[in-house]
């Protein structure tokens, strides 16, 4: 063989060797999957915190000196520590448990203490699980469902109000909750809080409901907007990809005059032009035993990863459901603005968000996608509400007395009678609904009474709706 | 040093190494390759289908097929445009229901269903005799479309049959030589010309940039095995297509008002009797 041919063969074989070796041994790094598709960029941690947090915190300094906070997030770390201490203490087998009277509980409000009031009566077992702290022993107090939790600074006992409105005093060995006293004394000395009084002090009725002592503070004005109406196609596609877990090119898209439907395998998603998002998964699954803890985690994870919402939700209702032999929960949520719940008024839906979850499986999800506009909303010039003219809770009751007595107002102090029937009072917003693309939220009083929950406009005292 | 001898030894060593590496590459490729595209898998598929009396006359592609998705919209013609194109503006337009408009002129009528499907009918007396030949039918259809302002550049004849004195022709839309389902323009023709037309057509708005890999053809065909309604049939064609059919694809209630959407690549199977089935699996 000629030398030049040999050299050529040698070179060819060498090149071929390098090429083949690269195929066998060199692995090129793979392009990472788009985070928007698998949703890993969104976490449900904050949402979990928020759902577990109390809706409000009442701080009692002494008789006639109280304040109230809706904003719990800044003190989450402390809250977590207190709850950890509380749950550990509650687990002690030597605790003494007794039922107390409303009068005893009201007297306890004169002591320096913290009162947590929850939207949903969480069981101590679920709180322990979700807060990742040691859960109390079953045989002791594990089955408590807490609606209100009273923690005295001096320790020695805890008072719980359970879902049946029973006042339960749990005597504990020590229980000086970390840092509470210091923090409360600092706050008291600073006087940087709004003064509240309870109906017990104001009207001498056996009701532990707190209202502002002097003037009513109106919540910041907020304008809500249908978030889907003006959403660009790229964002819509991204949202559809997150819900259906597939690249948009694989997702069927059907556009109608009233909205768009996306279909991928057994999952479908519909964006209505009026802002409603509906998701359904028709895949077969098995969930024979319901588990609220697992279902709640699945739901919050779904909400966070699909919608990108990781704050601003309040759990309004939990209902057991079953279908095709499977058991699960329907969880209804409302939105929150400035830490206050927003309720829908003239809308076919009662809640902004509803999710049907069977342990790890989400079967249905519905969300009226409305969001506060970024700009500072101006007060409605057509109907300005002046702070000093805003109605107090007793003011709205006084204005609406006939509503509570359809057969005629009886003689005597009817207002006092109504005040005695009040169980809770909260400041909320009311959204007139999705008929308009943009709506100004109405500041309102949500007054829970023995016969139902009534919502009144803070500005003009008008009755808005019953829930 | 004997360079020539050294070269011989090196060539021999490199040759052996290359052969070993080739073996590893082949083994890796086999492991990651689509097993459903092998000759033996295709043969097994044919056999399994034949056991259910499903016969395949079409060639089964043995390669991975990738297509883009298409953004499509339903062709929409206003009653005025149709009145002008078909009846020289002399037809009487009647809005029968929200989703049904009818138009009449002498023996002819047009119905517009859901603002997108067009049904044309000519109720003239049947001429009897033999059905027109395929060539005659094609010419009549072409003339019909031309005079009524319908371009035929994107239409392809997918089915033709004669029955008594009539011929039946079915056209589908193509986009860059790939069929777009479920769009159709179906004609019934006799010696005197077109008797009826049924048209639901799609127009392409844009094409996506990403390729979508279709499931292999044998995999798609195997989906017939558990569907007895396709037993005892003969498959005539098997082609990739774009698929948009809101009523079939949607899981939600009423999609008759769909106006546009995304057509996804799928396999289109046509049986000998003209029935078309689209298999959209990935």
């Amino acid at each position: 063989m000629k030398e030049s041919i040999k050299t050529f063969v040698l070179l060819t074989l060498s090149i071929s060797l390098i090429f083949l070796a690269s195929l066998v041994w060199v692995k090129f790094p793979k392009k990472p999957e788009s985070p928007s598709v698998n949703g890993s960029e969104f976490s449900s941690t904050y949402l979990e915190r928020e759902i577990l947090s109390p809706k409000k915190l009442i701080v009692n300094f002494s008789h006639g000196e109280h304040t109230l906070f809706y904003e719990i997030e800044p003190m989450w770390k402390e809250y977590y520590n207190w709850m950890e201490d509380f749950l550990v203490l509650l687990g002690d087998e030597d605790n003494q448990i007794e039922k107390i009277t409303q009068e005893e509980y009201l007297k306890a409000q004169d002591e320096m203490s913290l009162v947590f009031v929850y939207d949903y009566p969480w069981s101590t077992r679920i709180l322990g699980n979700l807060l990742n702290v040691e859960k109390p022993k079953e045989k002791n107090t594990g089955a408590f469902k807490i609606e209100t939790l009273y923690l005295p600074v001096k320790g020695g006992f805890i008072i719980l109000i359970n879902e049946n409105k029973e006042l339960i005093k749990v005597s504990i060995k020590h229980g000086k909750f970390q840092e509470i006293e210091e923090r409360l004394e600092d706050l008291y000395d600073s006087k940087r809080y709004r003064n509240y009084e309870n109906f017990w002090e104001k009207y001498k009725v056996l009701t532990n409901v707190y209202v502002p002592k002097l003037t009513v503070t109106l919540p910041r004005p907020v304008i809500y907007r249908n978030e889907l109406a003006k959403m660009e196609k790229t964002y819509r596609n991204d949202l559809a990809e997150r819900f259906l877990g597939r690249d948009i090119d694989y997702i069927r898209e059907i556009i109608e005059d009233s909205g768009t439907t996306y279909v991928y395998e057994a999952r479908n998603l519909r964006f209505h032009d009026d802002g409603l998002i509906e998701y359904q998964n028709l895949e077969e699954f098995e969930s024979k035993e319901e588990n609220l803890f697992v279902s709640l985690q699945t739901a919050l994870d779904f909400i966070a990863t699909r919608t990108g919402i990781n704050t601003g939700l309040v759990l309004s209702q939990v209902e057991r459901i079953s279908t095709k032999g499977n058991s699960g929960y329907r969880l209804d949520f409302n939105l929150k603005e400035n830490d206050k719940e927003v309720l829908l008024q003239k809308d076919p839906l009662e809640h902004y968000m509803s999710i049907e979850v069977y342990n790890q499986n989400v079967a249905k999800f519905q969300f009226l996608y409305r969001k506060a506009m970024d700009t500072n909303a101006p007060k409605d010039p057509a109907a300005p509400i002046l702070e000093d003219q805003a109605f107090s809770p007793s003011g709205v009751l006084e204005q609406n007395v006939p509503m509570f007595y359809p057969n005629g107002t009886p003689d005597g102090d009817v207002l006092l009678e109504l005040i005695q029937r009040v169980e809770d009072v909260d400041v909320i917003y009311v959204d007139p609904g999705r008929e308009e693309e943009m709506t100004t939220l109405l500041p309102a009083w949500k007054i829970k009474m023995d016969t139902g929950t009534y919502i009144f406009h803070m500005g003009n005292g008008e009755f808005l709706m019953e829930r | 040093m004997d360079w020539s001898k050294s070269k011989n030894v090196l060539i021999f060593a490199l040759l052996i190494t290359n052969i070993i590496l080739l073996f590893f590459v082949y083994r890796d490729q086999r492991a990651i390759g689509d097993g459903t595209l092998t000759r033996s898998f295709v043969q097994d598929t044919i056999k399994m289908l034949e056991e259910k009396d499903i016969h395949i006359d079409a060639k089964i592609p043995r390669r991975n097929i990738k297509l883009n998705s298409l953004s499509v919209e339903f062709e929409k013609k206003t009653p005025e445009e149709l009145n002008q194109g078909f009846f020289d503006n002399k037809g009487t337009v009647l809005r029968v229901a929200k989703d049904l408009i009818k138009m009449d002129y002498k023996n002819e009528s047009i119905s517009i269903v859901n603002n997108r499907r067009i049904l044309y009918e000519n109720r003239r007396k049947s001429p009897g005799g033999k059905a027109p030949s395929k060539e005659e039918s094609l010419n009549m259809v072409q003339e019909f479309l031309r005079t009524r302002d319908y371009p035929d550049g994107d239409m392809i004849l997918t089915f033709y049959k004669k029955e008594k004195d009539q011929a039946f022709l079915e056209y589908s839309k193509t986009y860059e030589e790939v069929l777009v389902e479920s769009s159709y323009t179906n004609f019934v023709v006799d010696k005197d010309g077109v008797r009826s037309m049924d048209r639901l057509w799609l127009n392409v708005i844009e094409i996506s940039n990403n390729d979508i890999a279709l499931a292999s053809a044998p995999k798609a065909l195997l989906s017939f095995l558990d569907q007895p309604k396709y037993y005892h049939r003969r498959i005539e064609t098997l082609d990739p297509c774009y698929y948009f059919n809101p009523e079939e694809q949607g899981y939600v209630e009423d999609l008759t008002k769909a106006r546009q959407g995304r057509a996804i690549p799928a396999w289109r199977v046509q049986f000998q009797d003209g029935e078309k089935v689209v298999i959209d699996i990935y």
Side-chain angles (χ1 to χ4, degrees), chain B:
Chain B
M1 194 178 184
D2 188 345
W3 276 107
S4 180
K5 234 180 192 175
S6 307
K7 276 182 187 172
N8 285 344
V9 172
L10 265 172
I11 286 170
F12 181 73
L14 282 170
L15 206 62
I16 298 293
T17 321
N18 270 308
I19 289 167
I20 293 167
L21 283 174
L22 257 176
F23 166 75
F24 281 116
V25 170
Y26 174 73
R27 197 192 59 177
D28 286 358
Q29 288 299 317
R30 261 185 76 99
I32 58 165
D34 187 346
T36 63
L37 288 172
T38 60
R39 203 177 297 275
S40 63
F41 193 90
V42 172
Q43 289 307 322
D44 290 345
T45 305
I46 293 170
K47 250 189 227 165
M48 281 190 273
L49 289 169
E50 279 177 351
E51 279 169 19
K52 302 287 182 195
D53 201 19
I54 304 171
H55 301 274
I56 307 171
D57 293 339
K59 189 173 180 278
I60 302 176
R62 277 189 50 227
R63 61 190 171 86
N64 273 320
I65 290 176
K66 285 181 179 177
L67 287 174
N68 308 71
S69 66
L70 296 179
S71 186
V72 294
E73 65 178 355
F74 282 111
E75 181 185 80
K76 198 175 164 183
K77 288 218 172 194
T78 62
E80 294 72 33
E81 284 171 320
L82 288 168
N83 200 354
Q84 176 67 43
F86 280 74
F87 308 134
D88 202 16
N89 246 344
K90 290 173 188 155
T92 326
V93 181
L94 182 69
R95 196 170 287 271
V96 181
K98 203 180 163 197
D99 301 325
L100 179 65
I101 298 167
K102 280 201 163 186
M103 220 177 293
D104 280 298
Y105 178 65
K106 292 182 180 172
N107 283 330
E108 295 169 275
S109 69
I110 294 173
S111 302
I112 309 168
V113 184
N114 289 328
N115 286 320
R116 60 194 200 205
R117 185 174 171 195
I118 294 161
L119 297 156
Y120 163 84
E121 199 186 0
N122 192 326
R123 294 182 299 274
R124 66 171 182 262
K125 211 179 154 195
S126 168
K130 268 186 171 181
S133 69
K134 190 173 178 179
E135 203 183 335
E136 285 169 332
S137 305
L138 288 173
N139 287 336
M140 281 191 268
V141 165
Q142 220 167 15
E143 182 59 15
F144 180 88
L145 289 169
R146 193 184 60 77
T147 52
R148 280 155 187 86
D149 225 11
Y150 277 109
D152 62 357
D154 59 350
M155 291 170 68
I156 187 167
L157 183 72
T158 51
F159 183 72
Y160 168 85
K161 76 168 179 183
K162 280 203 276 190
E163 218 174 81
K164 295 179 185 168
D165 58 340
Q166 293 178 329
F168 296 82
L169 297 92
E170 288 180 14
Y171 289 83
S172 289
K173 183 188 172 70
T174 57
Y175 180 76
E176 291 183 349
E177 296 181 2
V178 178
L179 291 164
V180 183
E181 291 293 356
S182 296
S183 62
Y184 54 82
T185 308
N186 300 339
F187 292 95
V188 178
V189 182
D190 64 19
K191 262 195 290 193
D192 288 346
V194 170
R195 276 200 85 84
S196 72
M197 178 185 87
D198 181 358
R199 179 173 170 103
L200 181 73
W201 210 243
L202 289 165
N203 291 324
V204 175
I205 305 170
E206 65 174 341
I207 184 161
S208 81
N209 297 322
N210 302 329
D211 284 338
I212 295 175
L214 266 170
S216 71
K219 222 190 252 182
L221 286 169
L222 286 174
S223 65
F224 287 136
L225 288 178
D226 55 0
Q227 298 183 67
K229 62 180 172 180
Y230 298 118
Y231 294 176
H232 320 296
R233 309 276 289 269
R234 191 167 274 279
I235 293 170
E236 207 161 61
T237 60
L238 169 66
D239 301 292
C241 71
Y242 297 107
Y243 185 44
F244 176 69
N245 186 339
E247 278 87 348
E248 286 289 320
Q249 293 172 303
Y251 289 91
V252 274
E253 67 279 4
D254 175 27
L255 285 169
T256 51
K257 290 175 195 71
R259 51 183 165 83
Q260 74 181 62
R262 184 176 300 105
I264 306 279
W267 285 104
R268 178 187 183 278
V269 173
Q270 186 160 332
F271 292 95
Q272 203 175 29
D273 57 6
E275 191 189 344
K276 296 178 283 188
V277 177
V278 178
I279 309 162
D280 52 344
I281 55 168
Y282 304 102

Side-chain angles (χ1 to χ4, degrees), chain A residues 184-279:
Chain A
L184 294 195
E185 275 169 3
D186 286 350
L187 182 65
Y188 184 70
D189 293 342
S190 74
K191 296 283 175 207
R192 289 174 68 185
Y193 59 86
R194 189 168 278 268
N195 230 326
Y196 278 72
E197 61 185 341
N198 67 22
F199 280 1
W200 165 246
E201 290 159 348
K202 199 172 179 182
Y203 304 105
K204 299 287 169 228
V205 293
L206 292 172
T207 315
N208 193 34
V209 171
Y210 289 83
V211 289
K213 204 168 190 175
L214 300 167
T215 54
V216 169
T217 319
L218 287 168
R220 198 158 56 83
V222 177
I223 292 181
Y224 257 20
R225 187 178 67 174
N226 169 1
E227 204 55 20
L228 281 183
K230 298 271 182 320
M231 192 184 272
E232 282 177 31
K233 198 171 167 59
T234 334
Y235 289 109
R236 273 177 176 252
N237 286 350
D238 189 51
L239 204 54
E241 285 182 347
R242 289 211 302 260
F243 268 97
L244 301 176
R246 200 69 164 102
D247 191 271
I248 194 71
D249 286 315
Y250 287 83
I251 297 170
R252 292 173 193 91
E253 184 186 17
I254 300 150
I255 301 170
E256 292 176 274
D257 288 335
S258 59
T260 306
T261 302
Y262 299 87
V263 183
Y264 182 70
E265 292 181 343
R267 281 163 280 163
N268 65 67
L269 174 72
R270 188 166 165 77
F271 293 160
H272 294 260
D273 289 345
D274 61 10
L276 183 69
I277 295 175
E278 284 180 302
Y279 166 88

Side-chain angles (χ1 to χ4, degrees), chain A residues 64-203:
Chain A
E65 282 292 333
H66 317 269
T67 191
L68 188 150
F69 298 98
Y70 282 100
E71 200 181 358
I72 309 292
E73 175 62 26
M75 54 184 117
W76 167 259
K77 204 168 167 249
E78 287 89 342
Y79 171 70
Y80 180 94
N81 290 335
W82 297 331
M83 288 309 284
E84 193 174 20
D85 285 352
F86 155 70
L87 287 169
V88 171
L89 287 167
L90 201 62
D92 195 332
E93 283 184 24
D94 301 330
N95 288 341
Q96 285 185 352
I97 298 167
E98 59 173 317
K99 281 187 189 169
I100 58 163
T101 62
Q102 179 75 357
E103 270 169 305
E104 284 175 278
Y105 180 56
L106 286 168
K107 271 180 198 158
Q109 310 301 315
D110 294 345
E111 302 295 320
M112 194 177 265
S113 54
L114 296 178
V115 183
F116 298 111
V117 184
Y118 293 86
D119 284 305
Y120 181 77
W122 292 111
S123 78
T124 44
R125 205 181 318 158
I126 288 186
L127 279 175
N129 274 332
L130 287 167
L131 292 167
N132 214 12
V133 295
E134 195 186 330
K135 51 190 171 181
K137 291 178 184 91
E138 277 306 287
K139 64 174 183 180
N140 236 355
T141 46
F144 277 136
K145 286 192 172 175
I146 304 173
E147 204 171 70
T148 303
L149 173 63
Y150 173 96
L151 303 179
V153 165
K154 287 178 184 159
F157 68 95
I158 297 162
I159 300 172
L160 307 168
I161 302 180
N162 69 12
E163 55 176 343
N164 304 321
K165 311 278 176 225
E166 291 169 324
L167 290 154
I168 298 162
K169 186 175 172 183
V170 185
S171 301
I172 47 175
K173 272 182 190 162
H174 53 97
K176 256 204 149 189
F177 293 102
Q178 288 171 18
E179 300 168 14
I180 295 185
E181 195 166 9
E182 262 175 49
R183 282 193 62 114
L184 294 195
E185 275 169 3
D186 286 350
L187 182 65
Y188 184 70
D189 293 342
S190 74
K191 296 283 175 207
R192 289 174 68 185
Y193 59 86
R194 189 168 278 268
N195 230 326
Y196 278 72
E197 61 185 341
N198 67 22
F199 280 1
W200 165 246
E201 290 159 348
K202 199 172 179 182
Y203 304 105

Side-chain angles (χ1 to χ4, degrees), chain A residues 379-411:
Chain A
K379 288 186 180 180
D380 185 0
I385 304 168
L386 301 170
E387 204 139 272
D388 54 358
Q389 288 171 10
F391 276 69
S392 66
S394 52
V396 292
L397 288 178
E398 195 175 0
Q399 180 167 302
N400 293 282
V401 164
M403 190 187 99
F404 295 97
Y405 300 100
N407 301 324
T409 313
D411 294 334

